[in-house]
Amino acid sequence: MLRITKEFHFSASHVLDRLPSWHQCARMHGHNYVVVLELSARREDLSDAGFVRDYHELDAFKKWMEDTLDHRHLNEAMGGGVSPSAENLAVWIFDLWTERFPELTAVRVSETPKTWAEYRPE
């Protein structure tokens, strides 16, 4: 199996309103997010150019992210009803983009340099 990844960055705010009121993340705050898309293919499924997918095609995700998430409030951008945790953000992005990129195998989301959430469906 061959895997490629590409990293993207955006800044946004959120409130994790399902936490106790004393928890610091229950208040509005923001992060400089890092999102990593992972795409995979078997060797025999590579494109004629030898790609899992041309990195240039991932520019569509970058534009969507900038238009939808960058400098937005994630509680609103994600449509409400879902706590905008890093875990839920990873699942939400995967579900939105797997049809466009069927090679998508995982989405990683970081809120801080030391924390990561990854969604990798089985």
Side-chain angles (χ1 to χ4, degrees):
M1 187 67 68
L2 293 144
R3 289 183 174 87
I4 64 168
T5 61
K6 188 163 182 181
E7 183 176 293
F8 303 89
H9 298 253
F10 72 95
S11 299
S13 66
H14 68 167
V15 175
L16 300 178
D17 54 7
R18 296 181 185 167
L19 292 171
S21 60
W22 53 261
H23 195 289
Q24 66 185 7
C25 294
R27 297 187 301 268
M28 185 182 299
H29 62 284
H31 298 285
N32 294 315
Y33 287 88
V34 179
V35 175
V36 176
L37 301 183
E38 177 189 279
L39 295 86
S40 301
R42 297 180 311 214
R43 184 167 38 179
E44 59 270 19
D45 294 330
L46 295 179
S47 71
D48 290 339
F51 296 152
V52 170
R53 179 165 291 260
D54 187 338
Y55 285 111
H56 180 69
E57 293 179 59
L58 300 179
D59 287 350
F61 176 79
K62 180 181 178 192
K63 172 140 180 40
W64 171 84
M65 190 187 62
E66 290 171 348
D67 292 346
T68 307
L69 302 176
D70 192 39
H71 288 84
R72 306 283 182 188
H73 186 59
L74 295 182
N75 298 68
E76 296 169 4
M78 292 175 65
V82 175
S83 178
S85 64
E87 294 88 338
N88 284 334
L89 184 56
V91 171
W92 183 69
I93 290 170
F94 186 93
D95 288 347
L96 286 174
W97 283 89
T98 191
E99 188 173 324
R100 175 93 181 253
F101 300 135
E103 310 88 351
L104 188 62
T105 49
V107 175
R108 296 182 73 207
V109 174
S110 172
E111 295 178 338
T112 73
K114 296 181 181 181
T115 61
W116 287 91
E118 179 178 273
Y119 180 62
R120 181 182 301 277
E122 297 186 41

